[in-house]
Amino acid sequence: MRRLALLAVPALALLGLPGAALAHPKLVAANPAADTAVAKPTRLSLTFSEDLVAPLTGIDLVMTGMPGMANHAPMPIKGFKTDVKGKVLSVSLPRPLPAGTYNLKWHAVAGDQHRIEGQYAFTVR
Ligand SMILES: [Cu+2]
């Protein structure tokens, strides 16, 4: 089994060759970065490994907790604007995010049209 698995890797790599130029977008940097605590931001940015397709790339932002409030229900944050330039997705918030914890779910589409998703959390102090 182990031997078969090792042999399968180069075969898959060969199969993957035509798609190599159209790689899936990977998140390479974010501001605020994952698992960090920041002062109240009015802008978020996500930088990917590939040029993005604007209308198919975006985020959902949910407040998951607030200081001093137990059992905070997930609260979607609405009203932001997203803007895509090349590999960077920028999010402008209408007002600074209040103190709390947030979960950001992103979806991104690059040249091969496949929707790739991911998520991370950050804290506003
Ligand atoms: Cu793909």
Side-chain angles (χ1 to χ4, degrees):
M1 271 318 265
R2 179 168 293 253
R3 185 175 200 141
L4 261 181
L6 286 174
L7 287 173
V9 172
L12 281 176
L14 282 177
L15 284 175
L17 267 184
L22 298 168
H24 291 167
K26 285 192 202 67
L27 183 65
V28 294
N31 188 10
D35 305 318
T36 58
V38 297
K40 300 178 171 67
T42 53
R43 263 180 103 71
L44 315 175
S45 72
L46 293 82
T47 303
F48 290 87
S49 56
E50 309 294 320
D51 282 343
L52 303 165
V53 178
L56 303 176
T57 295
I59 67 154
D60 291 302
L61 185 61
V62 173
M63 188 188 216
T64 52
M66 262 177 108
M69 194 175 162
N71 307 316
H72 185 282
M75 188 183 94
I77 304 294
K78 304 280 188 196
F80 54 79
K81 288 201 182 81
T82 56
D83 182 52
V84 168
K85 282 204 177 72
K87 300 176 179 172
V88 180
L89 168 65
S90 303
V91 180
S92 312
L93 297 151
R95 65 196 75 83
L97 283 179
T101 53
Y102 293 85
N103 189 57
L104 186 153
K105 280 195 169 79
W106 56 264
H107 55 276
V109 173
D112 78 352
Q113 305 292 316
H114 293 167
R115 179 184 163 114
I116 309 302
E117 298 176 334
Q119 60 178 299
Y120 57 90
F122 62 88
T123 298
V124 174
R125 43 176 150 67

